[in-house]
Amino acid sequence: MVKKTLTTIRCVPRYGFEFANVREISIGISPDQDGEEMLQALNAWFEAHGIVDAVYAIDFDDDGCFAIVNDEAYESEWGRPVL
């Protein structure tokens, strides 16, 4: 059984228009999940917040997993801005 924990995910804009910025969200999934499972969890989170087709891709760097989010999703209020 996989234990779900609250995991913070960085969301970066795909193109970076002026109104798009890096934001963070917290989802209930283990940080050990692979990219496909993270993608499913992120899509479910965004859809629950009324935003469809938000996630373009999932990637990993030295700081862990991050989501590349379509800039159109930034027209809605969600997440915490990363300053």
Side-chain angles (χ1 to χ4, degrees):
M1 173 168 46
V2 174
K3 182 179 178 182
K4 290 185 179 182
T5 58
L6 203 57
T7 301
T8 300
I9 305 292
R10 290 172 291 139
C11 298
V12 300
R14 183 174 176 193
Y15 292 112
F17 295 130
E18 285 186 27
F19 59 85
N21 56 2
V22 177
R23 299 182 189 178
E24 291 180 335
I25 61 171
S26 296
I27 59 174
I29 190 169
S30 170
D32 301 351
Q33 301 304 306
D34 66 24
E36 184 61 33
E37 292 168 317
M38 292 295 262
L39 179 61
Q40 290 174 358
L42 282 165
N43 280 329
W45 187 93
F46 277 103
E47 287 174 9
H49 289 83
I51 306 168
V52 294
D53 298 326
V55 182
Y56 175 74
I58 300 292
D59 207 346
F60 297 84
D61 64 11
D62 291 341
D63 294 324
C65 176
F66 65 95
I68 302 167
V69 176
N70 290 314
D71 287 56
E72 294 79 13
Y74 286 89
E75 294 172 357
S76 300
E77 292 294 322
W78 55 269
R80 294 174 304 280
V82 176
L83 303 174

XYZ file of all heavy atoms in Angstrom:
658
model
N 0.842 -1.171 0.000
C 0.000 0.000 0.000
C 0.894 1.243 0.000
O 1.855 1.336 0.731
C -0.908 0.002 1.232
C -1.661 1.298 1.312
S -3.028 1.489 2.444
C -2.582 0.857 3.975
N 0.550 2.201 -0.849
C 1.289 3.454 -0.934
C 0.675 4.440 0.044
O -0.525 4.674 0.030
C 1.242 4.033 -2.365
C 1.886 5.398 -2.413
C 1.890 3.086 -3.344
N 1.499 4.997 0.890
C 1.034 5.993 1.840
C 1.086 7.367 1.185
O 2.114 7.770 0.661
C 1.904 5.986 3.093
C 1.448 6.963 4.138
C 2.329 6.896 5.359
C 1.865 7.918 6.369
N 2.684 7.941 7.540
N -0.053 8.050 1.180
C -0.096 9.392 0.607
C 0.264 10.400 1.679
O -0.200 10.335 2.798
C -1.486 9.699 0.060
C -1.824 8.908 -1.177
C -3.143 9.339 -1.732
C -3.464 8.569 -2.978
N -4.725 8.992 -3.575
N 1.123 11.313 1.313
C 1.498 12.399 2.198
C 1.276 13.700 1.443
O 1.120 13.706 0.227
C 2.975 12.297 2.618
O 3.787 12.313 1.444
C 3.244 11.044 3.403
N 1.269 14.793 2.137
C 1.114 16.087 1.495
C 2.458 16.484 0.899
O 3.444 16.637 1.616
C 0.621 17.116 2.512
C -0.083 18.325 1.953
C -1.282 17.916 1.107
C -0.544 19.217 3.070
N 2.505 16.611 -0.403
C 3.732 16.912 -1.123
C 3.592 18.259 -1.821
O 2.597 18.503 -2.500
C 4.029 15.813 -2.165
O 4.150 14.568 -1.482
C 5.290 16.102 -2.930
N 4.578 19.118 -1.671
C 4.573 20.418 -2.330
C 5.230 20.275 -3.696
O 6.333 19.737 -3.812
C 5.320 21.463 -1.487
O 4.667 21.573 -0.224
C 5.325 22.820 -2.162
N 4.532 20.765 -4.716
C 5.015 20.693 -6.090
C 5.180 22.105 -6.641
O 4.280 22.929 -6.524
C 4.016 19.932 -6.991
C 3.710 18.544 -6.427
C 4.507 19.860 -8.428
C 4.849 17.574 -6.467
N 6.330 22.385 -7.227
C 6.532 23.661 -7.917
C 5.849 23.593 -9.269
O 5.945 22.592 -9.982
C 8.024 23.921 -8.146
C 8.793 24.228 -6.900
C 10.283 24.269 -7.165
N 10.733 22.910 -7.475
C 11.600 22.599 -8.427
N 12.123 23.546 -9.173
N 11.951 21.358 -8.635
N 5.175 24.648 -9.628
C 4.514 24.751 -10.922
C 5.133 25.926 -11.663
O 5.065 27.058 -11.191
C 3.011 24.975 -10.740
S 2.184 23.610 -9.883
N 5.739 25.629 -12.798
C 6.405 26.674 -13.573
C 5.634 26.883 -14.865
O 5.097 25.946 -15.442
C 7.879 26.320 -13.857
C 8.662 26.143 -12.565
C 8.002 25.082 -14.709
N 5.564 28.129 -15.345
C 4.844 28.389 -16.593
C 5.575 27.808 -17.800
O 6.810 27.771 -17.830
C 4.772 29.910 -16.665
C 5.831 30.411 -15.750
C 6.080 29.356 -14.737
N 4.799 27.371 -18.775
C 5.383 26.776 -19.973
C 6.162 27.807 -20.775
O 7.276 27.557 -21.194
C 4.274 26.153 -20.820
C 4.778 25.453 -22.040
C 3.672 24.728 -22.757
N 4.175 24.131 -23.979
C 3.411 23.659 -24.927
N 2.097 23.708 -24.789
N 3.924 23.127 -25.999
N 5.581 28.967 -21.012
C 6.249 30.006 -21.799
C 6.698 31.184 -20.955
O 7.652 31.853 -21.298
C 5.332 30.516 -22.922
C 5.081 29.473 -23.975
C 3.817 28.922 -24.136
C 6.095 29.022 -24.809
C 3.572 27.955 -25.100
C 5.858 28.051 -25.774
C 4.594 27.527 -25.906
O 4.366 26.574 -26.853
N 5.981 31.499 -19.893
C 6.380 32.589 -19.019
C 5.859 33.951 -19.415
O 6.584 34.932 -19.354
N 4.592 34.012 -19.841
C 3.987 35.313 -20.114
C 4.007 36.159 -18.850
O 4.190 35.646 -17.751
C 2.551 35.146 -20.614
C 2.461 34.445 -21.944
C 1.597 33.376 -22.131
C 3.236 34.849 -23.025
C 1.508 32.734 -23.358
C 3.154 34.212 -24.255
C 2.286 33.141 -24.419
N 3.812 37.462 -18.974
C 3.913 38.387 -17.836
C 3.029 37.996 -16.659
O 3.398 38.178 -15.513
C 3.580 39.807 -18.283
C 4.676 40.458 -19.085
C 4.374 41.908 -19.378
O 3.642 42.548 -18.604
O 4.878 42.404 -20.393
N 1.833 37.461 -16.939
C 0.896 37.133 -15.865
C 1.166 35.763 -15.240
O 0.526 35.382 -14.278
C -0.551 37.193 -16.377
C -0.816 36.240 -17.524
C -1.156 34.920 -17.285
C -0.715 36.680 -18.829
C -1.398 34.048 -18.332
C -0.964 35.829 -19.892
C -1.299 34.504 -19.642
N 2.125 35.024 -15.766
C 2.428 33.686 -15.262
C 3.682 33.731 -14.397
O 4.674 34.338 -14.755
C 2.628 32.726 -16.433
N 3.613 33.067 -13.248
C 4.759 33.032 -12.340
C 4.884 31.641 -11.731
O 4.009 30.805 -11.890
C 4.620 34.097 -11.250
C 3.318 33.957 -10.478
O 2.523 33.053 -10.724
N 3.093 34.859 -9.553
N 5.983 31.387 -11.073
C 6.175 30.103 -10.400
C 5.272 30.078 -9.168
O 5.236 31.041 -8.399
C 7.652 29.887 -9.995
C 7.817 28.585 -9.239
C 8.546 29.921 -11.226
N 4.532 29.000 -9.034
C 3.643 28.820 -7.879
C 3.862 27.424 -7.294
O 4.432 26.550 -7.945
C 2.175 28.966 -8.300
C 1.856 30.330 -8.873
C 0.395 30.424 -9.233
N 0.125 31.659 -9.973
C -1.057 31.979 -10.452
N -2.091 31.177 -10.262
N -1.242 33.105 -11.117
N 3.406 27.247 -6.078
C 3.466 25.936 -5.423
C 2.070 25.496 -5.054
O 1.223 26.318 -4.706
C 4.293 26.001 -4.143
C 5.764 26.216 -4.365
C 6.538 26.271 -3.058
O 5.955 26.601 -2.007
O 7.731 25.990 -3.102
N 1.856 24.173 -5.146
C 0.623 23.581 -4.651
C 1.002 22.372 -3.809
O 2.107 21.837 -3.934
C -0.334 23.169 -5.788
C 0.301 22.109 -6.696
C -0.786 24.384 -6.588
C -0.677 21.513 -7.695
N 0.099 21.968 -2.946
C 0.308 20.766 -2.141
C -0.742 19.742 -2.529
O -1.928 20.056 -2.589
C 0.198 21.095 -0.656
O 1.228 21.983 -0.280
N -0.279 18.534 -2.829
C -1.189 17.457 -3.199
C -0.924 16.252 -2.311
O 0.178 16.082 -1.794
C -1.068 17.076 -4.685
C 0.354 16.620 -5.046
C -1.483 18.241 -5.583
C 0.489 16.095 -6.454
N -1.925 15.421 -2.161
C -1.816 14.230 -1.332
C -1.268 13.052 -2.113
O -2.017 12.220 -2.614
N 0.045 12.999 -2.254
C 0.710 11.906 -2.956
C 2.123 11.789 -2.412
O 2.722 12.790 -2.014
C 0.707 12.134 -4.489
C 1.172 10.882 -5.228
C 1.512 13.344 -4.857
C 0.947 10.916 -6.719
N 2.646 10.600 -2.423
C 4.015 10.388 -1.976
C 4.989 11.023 -2.963
O 4.807 10.899 -4.177
C 4.298 8.886 -1.876
O 5.671 8.657 -1.675
N 6.039 11.683 -2.478
C 7.018 12.285 -3.394
C 7.823 11.246 -4.165
O 8.540 11.584 -5.101
C 7.909 13.108 -2.458
C 7.724 12.531 -1.115
C 6.341 11.941 -1.083
N 7.680 9.957 -3.812
C 8.415 8.883 -4.482
C 7.729 8.406 -5.767
O 8.270 7.562 -6.463
C 8.560 7.678 -3.554
C 9.292 8.019 -2.275
O 9.840 9.126 -2.172
O 9.299 7.173 -1.375
N 6.546 8.925 -6.065
C 5.792 8.461 -7.224
C 6.502 8.812 -8.515
O 7.230 9.796 -8.595
C 4.390 9.071 -7.230
C 3.575 8.728 -5.998
C 3.441 7.232 -5.779
O 3.015 6.502 -6.650
N 3.837 6.767 -4.612
N 6.262 8.000 -9.546
C 6.889 8.289 -10.836
C 6.146 9.420 -11.543
O 5.117 9.898 -11.077
C 6.974 7.033 -11.705
C 5.618 6.493 -12.140
O 4.627 7.259 -12.187
O 5.548 5.296 -12.451
N 6.673 9.850 -12.666
C 6.125 10.984 -13.391
C 4.675 10.799 -13.804
O 3.881 11.740 -13.736
N 4.309 9.599 -14.251
C 2.928 9.356 -14.698
C 1.939 9.466 -13.538
O 0.872 10.055 -13.684
C 2.824 7.972 -15.356
C 1.463 7.681 -15.935
C 1.040 8.650 -17.040
O 1.900 9.136 -17.789
O -0.170 8.909 -17.143
N 2.302 8.943 -12.385
C 1.426 9.039 -11.204
C 1.325 10.487 -10.723
O 0.246 10.933 -10.319
C 1.930 8.120 -10.094
C 1.780 6.656 -10.452
C 2.536 5.739 -9.511
O 3.683 6.058 -9.161
O 1.959 4.699 -9.144
N 2.431 11.210 -10.783
C 2.400 12.633 -10.412
C 1.510 13.408 -11.377
O 0.733 14.261 -10.966
C 3.807 13.229 -10.406
C 4.686 12.689 -9.307
S 4.081 13.135 -7.692
C 5.101 14.525 -7.360
N 1.614 13.102 -12.662
C 0.798 13.771 -13.671
C -0.685 13.534 -13.409
O -1.483 14.468 -13.449
C 1.189 13.290 -15.067
C 0.413 13.890 -16.228
C 0.604 15.398 -16.300
C 0.837 13.229 -17.534
N -1.054 12.306 -13.104
C -2.454 11.993 -12.799
C -2.937 12.755 -11.576
O -4.034 13.312 -11.563
C -2.632 10.489 -12.599
C -2.477 9.693 -13.870
C -2.508 8.194 -13.620
O -2.610 7.736 -12.484
N -2.403 7.419 -14.681
N -2.124 12.792 -10.527
C -2.503 13.492 -9.300
C -2.626 14.996 -9.534
O -3.562 15.638 -9.042
C -1.484 13.207 -8.194
N -1.712 15.573 -10.300
C -1.765 17.001 -10.597
C -2.973 17.344 -11.461
O -3.661 18.335 -11.211
C -0.482 17.456 -11.290
C 0.708 17.640 -10.369
C 1.988 17.718 -11.178
C 0.539 18.876 -9.519
N -3.239 16.527 -12.476
C -4.420 16.771 -13.308
C -5.690 16.711 -12.469
O -6.585 17.547 -12.634
C -4.494 15.770 -14.461
C -3.583 16.143 -15.605
O -3.334 17.312 -15.855
N -3.084 15.152 -16.308
N -5.774 15.756 -11.560
C -6.943 15.649 -10.680
C -7.063 16.887 -9.795
O -8.165 17.405 -9.578
C -6.854 14.380 -9.827
N -5.929 17.383 -9.265
C -5.958 18.577 -8.410
C -6.478 19.775 -9.186
O -7.353 20.504 -8.721
C -4.557 18.862 -7.857
C -4.534 19.957 -6.845
C -4.631 19.814 -5.491
C -4.412 21.367 -7.086
N -4.583 21.050 -4.889
C -4.450 22.024 -5.847
C -4.284 22.127 -8.234
C -4.363 23.404 -5.721
C -4.197 23.509 -8.118
C -4.242 24.130 -6.865
N -5.923 20.008 -10.373
C -6.347 21.154 -11.176
C -7.816 21.034 -11.588
O -8.561 22.006 -11.540
C -5.449 21.337 -12.401
C -4.185 22.086 -12.104
C -2.975 21.426 -11.982
C -4.197 23.463 -11.944
C -1.802 22.120 -11.705
C -3.031 24.173 -11.664
C -1.837 23.495 -11.548
N -8.232 19.839 -11.995
C -9.634 19.650 -12.384
C -10.568 19.896 -11.213
O -11.645 20.472 -11.384
C -9.825 18.263 -12.970
C -9.215 18.138 -14.356
C -9.248 16.739 -14.920
O -9.898 15.842 -14.328
O -8.613 16.523 -15.975
N -10.157 19.500 -10.008
C -10.966 19.762 -8.809
C -11.100 21.252 -8.539
O -12.039 21.698 -7.891
C -10.366 19.050 -7.595
N -10.145 22.039 -9.047
C -10.175 23.493 -8.897
C -10.727 24.184 -10.145
O -10.561 25.388 -10.331
C -8.776 24.020 -8.559
C -8.352 23.661 -7.179
N -7.791 22.442 -6.862
C -8.447 24.343 -6.019
C -7.539 22.404 -5.571
N -7.929 23.538 -5.022
N -11.353 23.410 -11.036
C -12.008 23.961 -12.210
C -11.091 24.356 -13.345
O -11.475 25.139 -14.211
N -9.888 23.816 -13.374
C -8.920 24.161 -14.426
C -8.572 22.882 -15.188
O -7.978 21.964 -14.633
C -7.644 24.779 -13.827
C -7.989 25.966 -12.933
C -6.677 25.196 -14.931
C -6.840 26.456 -12.082
N -8.968 22.820 -16.454
C -8.686 21.625 -17.259
C -7.477 21.865 -18.148
O -7.152 22.997 -18.495
C -9.911 21.221 -18.114
C -11.062 20.785 -17.223
C -10.342 22.350 -19.023
N -6.811 20.788 -18.497
C -5.634 20.835 -19.373
C -4.564 21.801 -18.864
O -3.963 22.541 -19.637
C -6.031 21.218 -20.798
C -6.973 20.204 -21.424
O -6.822 19.000 -21.123
O -7.847 20.611 -22.198
N -4.323 21.787 -17.571
C -3.353 22.710 -16.988
C -1.920 22.214 -17.124
O -1.026 22.990 -17.452
C -3.667 22.956 -15.510
N -1.704 20.940 -16.891
C -0.330 20.427 -16.824
C 0.156 20.015 -18.208
O -0.439 19.169 -18.874
C -0.238 19.239 -15.844
C 1.199 18.739 -15.749
C -0.750 19.635 -14.474
N 1.248 20.634 -18.629
C 1.866 20.301 -19.914
C 2.787 19.083 -19.760
O 2.782 18.179 -20.581
C 2.647 21.497 -20.439
C 3.404 21.207 -21.694
C 2.738 21.072 -22.905
C 4.785 21.040 -21.681
C 3.429 20.780 -24.068
C 5.485 20.753 -22.836
C 4.800 20.621 -24.030
O 5.489 20.324 -25.181
N 3.598 19.082 -18.692
C 4.552 17.994 -18.476
C 5.019 17.987 -17.029
O 4.841 18.955 -16.301
C 5.750 18.145 -19.406
N 5.634 16.887 -16.643
C 6.277 16.727 -15.339
C 7.768 16.560 -15.612
O 8.167 15.885 -16.552
C 5.758 15.458 -14.615
C 4.263 15.531 -14.401
C 6.503 15.231 -13.315
C 3.818 16.570 -13.420
N 8.589 17.181 -14.768
C 10.030 17.032 -14.923
C 10.655 16.958 -13.533
O 9.988 17.213 -12.531
C 10.619 18.189 -15.722
C 11.899 17.804 -16.453
O 12.477 16.741 -16.153
O 12.322 18.568 -17.334
N 11.908 16.598 -13.490
C 12.632 16.473 -12.228
C 13.954 17.211 -12.334
O 14.588 17.228 -13.386
C 12.896 14.991 -11.904
C 11.642 14.191 -11.690
C 10.950 13.646 -12.761
C 11.142 13.999 -10.415
C 9.793 12.915 -12.571
C 9.985 13.271 -10.218
C 9.315 12.724 -11.302
N 14.352 17.847 -11.220
C 15.670 18.466 -11.141
C 16.252 18.154 -9.768
O 15.735 17.297 -9.053
C 15.611 19.973 -11.431
C 14.798 20.764 -10.421
O 14.428 20.223 -9.352
O 14.518 21.944 -10.698
N 17.315 18.837 -9.384
C 17.966 18.558 -8.097
C 17.047 18.816 -6.905
O 17.267 18.270 -5.819
C 19.235 19.393 -7.950
C 20.326 18.953 -8.914
O 20.258 17.819 -9.437
O 21.255 19.754 -9.156
N 16.038 19.671 -7.087
C 15.103 19.980 -6.007
C 13.871 19.091 -6.019
O 12.947 19.306 -5.251
C 14.677 21.451 -6.093
C 15.847 22.382 -5.830
O 16.692 22.041 -4.978
O 15.914 23.441 -6.489
N 13.814 18.114 -6.926
C 12.689 17.192 -6.978
C 11.804 17.423 -8.189
O 12.212 17.976 -9.202
N 10.563 17.011 -8.021
C 9.584 17.065 -9.101
C 9.034 18.481 -9.270
O 8.862 19.210 -8.305
C 8.449 16.105 -8.768
S 7.098 16.116 -9.932
N 8.782 18.864 -10.519
C 8.064 20.110 -10.774
C 7.149 19.917 -11.978
O 7.373 19.027 -12.801
C 9.008 21.299 -10.969
C 9.888 21.230 -12.181
C 9.512 21.842 -13.372
C 11.108 20.578 -12.131
C 10.332 21.795 -14.481
C 11.942 20.532 -13.239
C 11.547 21.141 -14.419
N 6.110 20.724 -12.052
C 5.149 20.641 -13.144
C 5.331 21.825 -14.072
O 5.512 22.956 -13.620
C 3.726 20.633 -12.590
N 5.284 21.561 -15.349
C 5.274 22.624 -16.352
C 3.803 22.843 -16.698
O 3.126 21.930 -17.165
C 6.097 22.233 -17.590
C 7.536 21.918 -17.180
C 6.033 23.337 -18.642
C 8.353 21.224 -18.237
N 3.326 24.051 -16.414
C 1.894 24.347 -16.511
C 1.638 25.276 -17.696
O 2.363 26.254 -17.905
C 1.405 24.989 -15.192
C -0.054 25.396 -15.279
C 1.615 24.018 -14.035
N 0.607 24.948 -18.466
C 0.202 25.802 -19.582
C -0.150 27.189 -19.068
O -0.828 27.333 -18.052
C -0.980 25.181 -20.321
C -0.574 23.935 -21.076
O 0.437 23.915 -21.755
N -1.364 22.883 -20.942
N 0.312 28.200 -19.746
C 0.149 29.580 -19.287
C -1.316 29.983 -19.120
O -1.633 30.803 -18.261
C 0.867 30.534 -20.227
C 2.377 30.456 -20.070
O 2.933 29.354 -20.208
O 2.999 31.484 -19.778
N -2.224 29.399 -19.895
C -3.647 29.732 -19.775
C -4.186 29.414 -18.384
O -5.116 30.063 -17.912
C -4.460 28.976 -20.839
C -4.151 29.391 -22.261
C -2.857 28.774 -22.814
O -2.314 27.828 -22.209
O -2.385 29.269 -23.844
N -3.616 28.438 -17.707
C -4.064 28.077 -16.355
C -3.815 29.210 -15.363
O -4.489 29.313 -14.341
C -3.360 26.810 -15.881
N -2.849 30.086 -15.679
C -2.493 31.172 -14.768
C -3.518 32.304 -14.780
O -3.418 33.241 -14.004
C -1.103 31.714 -15.096
C -0.011 30.767 -14.657
C 0.460 29.775 -15.499
C 0.529 30.859 -13.377
C 1.453 28.904 -15.088
C 1.517 29.999 -12.963
C 1.976 29.015 -13.828
O 2.956 28.146 -13.405
N -4.512 32.209 -15.656
C -5.586 33.198 -15.657
C -6.498 33.003 -14.446
O -7.281 33.866 -14.114
C -6.360 33.118 -16.960
C -5.504 33.520 -18.157
C -6.165 33.286 -19.490
O -7.297 32.751 -19.515
O -5.567 33.644 -20.516
N -6.393 31.845 -13.791
C -7.158 31.533 -12.577
C -6.275 31.700 -11.346
O -5.058 31.595 -11.421
C -7.667 30.095 -12.624
O -8.490 29.891 -13.736
N -6.919 31.934 -10.213
C -6.195 32.020 -8.940
C -6.023 30.616 -8.368
O -7.004 29.894 -8.194
C -6.970 32.885 -7.945
C -7.020 34.351 -8.332
C -5.656 35.014 -8.281
O -4.863 34.705 -7.381
O -5.396 35.840 -9.175
N -4.809 30.214 -8.101
C -4.519 28.926 -7.483
C -3.086 28.961 -6.975
O -2.260 29.743 -7.411
C -4.706 27.761 -8.477
C -3.911 27.908 -9.734
C -4.324 28.511 -10.890
C -2.557 27.487 -9.968
N -3.312 28.479 -11.822
C -2.214 27.854 -11.284
C -1.604 26.844 -9.189
C -0.979 27.586 -11.837
C -0.358 26.580 -9.740
C -0.070 26.949 -11.044
N -2.794 28.103 -6.043
C -1.438 27.958 -5.533
C -0.901 29.160 -4.785
O -1.577 30.157 -4.581
N 0.345 28.996 -4.336
C 1.072 30.052 -3.611
C 2.224 30.533 -4.488
O 3.061 29.730 -4.895
C 1.632 29.491 -2.305
C 0.584 29.086 -1.300
C 1.206 28.399 -0.081
N 2.030 27.217 -0.408
C 1.564 26.004 -0.672
N 0.277 25.794 -0.685
N 2.371 25.003 -0.923
N 2.279 31.849 -4.772
C 3.408 32.354 -5.567
C 4.738 32.124 -4.858
O 4.843 32.232 -3.645
C 3.119 33.853 -5.666
C 1.674 34.001 -5.380
C 1.326 32.884 -4.437
N 5.741 31.756 -5.622
C 7.099 31.591 -5.107
C 7.836 32.866 -5.428
O 7.960 33.249 -6.582
C 7.803 30.380 -5.759
C 9.241 30.286 -5.294
C 7.042 29.101 -5.456
N 8.297 33.537 -4.396
C 8.963 34.826 -4.602
C 10.450 34.676 -4.768
O 11.117 33.893 -4.346
C 8.657 35.753 -3.429
C 7.171 35.975 -3.197
C 6.962 36.783 -1.942
C 6.548 36.669 -4.389
